[in-house]
Amino acid sequence: MQDRDPRRSLPRTDAVLADPRLESAASHLGRARVKRAVTEQLQALRTDVVSAGAGTDAASVVDAVLRGLPDGATSLQRVINATGVVLHTNLGRAPLSPAAVQALATAAGYVDVEFDLTDGSRARRGRGTLAALRAQVPDAEAVHVVNNGAAALVLATLALAAGREVVVSRGEMVEIGDGFRLPDLITATGARLREVGTTNRVTLDDYAAAVGPDTGCVLKVHPSNFRIEGFTRSVDVLDLATLGVPVVADIGSGLLYPDSLLPGEPDVTSALRAGAAVVTCSGDKLLGGPQAGLVFGTADVVEAMRRHPLARALRVDKLTLAALEATVDGPPSPTHRALHADPDDLRGRCERLAADLADLAEIGAEVVRSDGVVGGGGAPGVTLTGWAVALPESYAAALRSGRPPIVGRVERGRCLLDLRCVDSADDEAVAAAVRAVGAGGV
Ligand SMILES: *Cc1c(COP(=O)(O)O)cnc(C)c1O
């Protein structure tokens, strides 16, 4: 029996790696990555031929390795977001527009990010991106871009209030997610928090009583991921600006100007007009761009932030600058389109998907109402009227393990596929994936 031990007939690693199909994979994934996959596959065959479930000749080993290799050299997988949550933090928040993706590719090589091609001298880093932002928000005297919204707030606090006090309402002491809390972020800069008011109510007098010679700034934080309703009162930027100290407005989600779809959502232009010295927000929330922290404000405060020693530690790379400019200057972002999707159009797409699956009677695909949400720390009270195709609950896990994975939403024992955030060009791929799961007998 020893002679029949299949372990004896396993091909050598080198022999497998020499297969042209794997050489081609190595050219875009890297030789080390492919070699590791081959070693793992051979090891699996060596330890347990049956459960490795594959032939032991070189061609079969290559087949198995190719099945297990990713399409690209990143372990990140493209995911089809059928959750109806537009800014899904766990799915990478805002998807970039094709224009922004193209800008990323351009910026990947050598670029004139900090170079003046006319005279060969050094030029202002990211000047095109800053100009695009200024053009969208003419009320801002100056603009700066950092790594994310939290970094923008840190830099504003450092520039205005290090060693001094930041006056903030108790109702705005927000945890942004994953255990990170804005009050901790602020005190980590060396500023002291001066809390005013109560969880549900604060008045201008509360702020006025707290403001003094030690005040660095007053901070107004938009409670972007929760809502307090009922007996509440807060003070808006317009009134805070009368206190005679700089007002920092952290609006969170990055609307540059008002959006009638999101009436409760603050925007950069309005906050500046109301008198904020600095407005900070994220690039990858409602703006629909890459992760970034945007800073708009008066020339002196923005310049103080830009020249602060820590600004260098928070600066963005050329890829972000490129994608941000393309987002701000380019066609509507996928985020914008998902937010403003026409419910009738969504319904039509869902009906076509359900009709397409009608012959799979056992899954009972059915069009149902589905309220989308903004998600990602934006517009917590807003629901977006939409539609979904309901499938048996077991489809949720099966679709997640497909290629590309499709992430639906499980609700009341059913798997809902909400097409709001699905590119209509992917509708057929969704139908095919559901069909493949059906054929697999889930
Ligand atoms: C999201 C958010 C932040 C943090 O922004 P990041 O870009 O995630 O760092 C800060 N403040 C508010 C109000 C937010 O909504």
Side-chain angles (χ1 to χ4, degrees), residues 231-251:
F231 186 52
T232 64
R233 183 163 170 182
S234 63
V235 184
D236 55 26
V237 173
L238 194 65
D239 289 328
L240 295 176
T242 63
L243 291 166
V245 288
V247 177
V248 175
D250 173 11
I251 65 163

Side-chain angles (χ1 to χ4, degrees), residues 8-168:
R8 290 177 165 261
S9 56
L10 284 180
R12 289 162 39 95
T13 306
D14 290 351
V16 179
L17 275 172
D19 186 289
R21 289 181 294 162
L22 286 190
E23 286 194 334
S24 149
S27 71
H28 68 273
L29 293 176
R31 196 169 169 77
R33 177 78 183 76
V34 175
K35 187 172 179 185
R36 200 162 64 237
V38 170
T39 312
E40 282 165 9
Q41 177 64 15
L42 290 174
Q43 185 60 29
L45 290 168
R46 213 167 276 131
T47 47
D48 188 348
V49 174
V50 179
S51 74
T56 55
D57 58 299
S60 303
V61 173
V62 171
D63 287 343
V65 167
L66 284 172
R67 271 198 303 278
L69 283 174
D71 299 330
T74 169
S75 60
L76 293 176
Q77 292 194 61
R78 175 175 102 89
V79 166
I80 293 182
N81 174 10
T83 62
V85 180
V86 179
L87 298 167
H88 197 301
T89 303
N90 302 144
L91 298 182
R93 280 200 192 153
L96 294 180
S97 66
V101 171
Q102 170 138 46
L104 284 179
T106 302
Y110 293 119
V111 278
D112 60 342
V113 63
E114 227 176 277
F115 187 74
D116 187 333
L117 288 166
T118 54
D119 63 6
S121 66
R122 182 188 179 138
R124 175 121 186 223
R125 185 180 175 83
R127 57 209 174 284
T129 308
L130 299 174
L133 286 165
R134 285 267 334 260
Q136 293 289 322
V137 187
D139 289 271
E141 287 175 16
V143 180
H144 185 54
V145 182
V146 290
N147 207 26
N148 57 17
L153 184 56
V154 161
L155 199 53
T157 310
L158 283 166
L160 288 169
R164 303 172 71 201
E165 286 183 355
V166 174
V167 180
V168 63

Side-chain angles (χ1 to χ4, degrees), residues 93 148-150 176 182 221-222 224 250-253 282 284-285 292 377:
R93 280 200 192 153
N148 57 17
I176 27 183
L182 291 189
V221 180
H222 177 55
S224 56
D250 173 11
I251 65 163
S253 61
S282 301
D284 56 350
K285 291 183 180 171

Side-chain angles (χ1 to χ4, degrees), residues 139-425:
D139 289 271
E141 287 175 16
V143 180
H144 185 54
V145 182
V146 290
N147 207 26
N148 57 17
L153 184 56
V154 161
L155 199 53
T157 310
L158 283 166
L160 288 169
R164 303 172 71 201
E165 286 183 355
V166 174
V167 180
V168 63
S169 161
R170 288 197 170 82
E172 296 173 9
M173 310 272 279
V174 177
E175 175 169 321
I176 27 183
D178 196 23
F180 287 99
R181 297 177 167 171
L182 291 189
D184 300 338
L185 201 78
I186 289 160
T187 51
T189 68
R192 294 188 303 282
L193 273 182
R194 181 76 181 263
E195 300 167 32
V196 296
T198 61
T199 307
N200 56 331
R201 287 173 74 85
V202 65
T203 65
L204 186 59
D205 285 345
D206 292 326
Y207 283 98
V211 166
D214 231 16
T215 305
C217 62
V218 169
L219 173 62
K220 171 84 181 164
V221 180
H222 177 55
S224 56
N225 53 8
F226 70 101
R227 272 209 313 188
I228 299 187
E229 284 176 57
F231 186 52
T232 64
R233 183 163 170 182
S234 63
V235 184
D236 55 26
V237 173
L238 194 65
D239 289 328
L240 295 176
T242 63
L243 291 166
V245 288
V247 177
V248 175
D250 173 11
I251 65 163
S253 61
L255 275 188
L256 300 183
Y257 23 76
D259 184 336
S260 56
L261 182 76
L262 307 166
E265 203 57 35
D267 65 278
V268 177
T269 298
S270 305
L272 288 172
R273 287 193 184 160
V278 186
V279 182
T280 65
C281 59
S282 301
D284 56 350
K285 291 183 180 171
L286 291 175
L287 185 66
Q291 179 188 302
L294 312 186
V295 175
F296 302 84
T298 58
D300 55 339
V301 176
V302 174
E303 189 60 13
M305 291 173 66
R306 217 171 67 77
R307 301 313 317 172
H308 191 280
L310 273 176
R312 178 57 189 250
L314 307 175
R315 87 171 186 183
V316 280
D317 76 340
K318 59 182 179 171
L319 301 178
T320 303
L321 289 167
L324 184 58
E325 180 177 0
T327 302
V328 170
D329 239 5
S333 67
T335 299
H336 185 273
R337 282 190 284 119
L339 285 172
H340 293 265
D342 175 14
D344 290 336
D345 184 46
L346 292 173
R347 184 179 192 167
R349 287 171 59 199
C350 286
E351 280 168 352
R352 279 192 293 282
L353 177 57
D356 203 352
L357 299 169
D359 58 313
L360 298 172
E362 67 281 9
I363 68 176
E366 181 192 7
V367 178
V368 296
R369 266 287 304 272
S370 167
D371 284 335
V373 296
V374 176
V382 173
T383 52
L384 307 163
T385 305
W387 301 87
V389 173
L391 305 173
E393 182 172 351
S394 60
Y395 275 64
L399 289 169
R400 275 202 312 275
S401 63
R403 251 196 200 193
I406 298 172
V407 183
R409 191 168 85 238
V410 173
E411 213 171 88
R412 280 181 256 117
R414 293 206 282 183
C415 166
L416 301 188
L417 299 182
D418 184 320
L419 298 183
R420 172 178 301 279
C421 310
V422 177
D423 190 329
S424 57

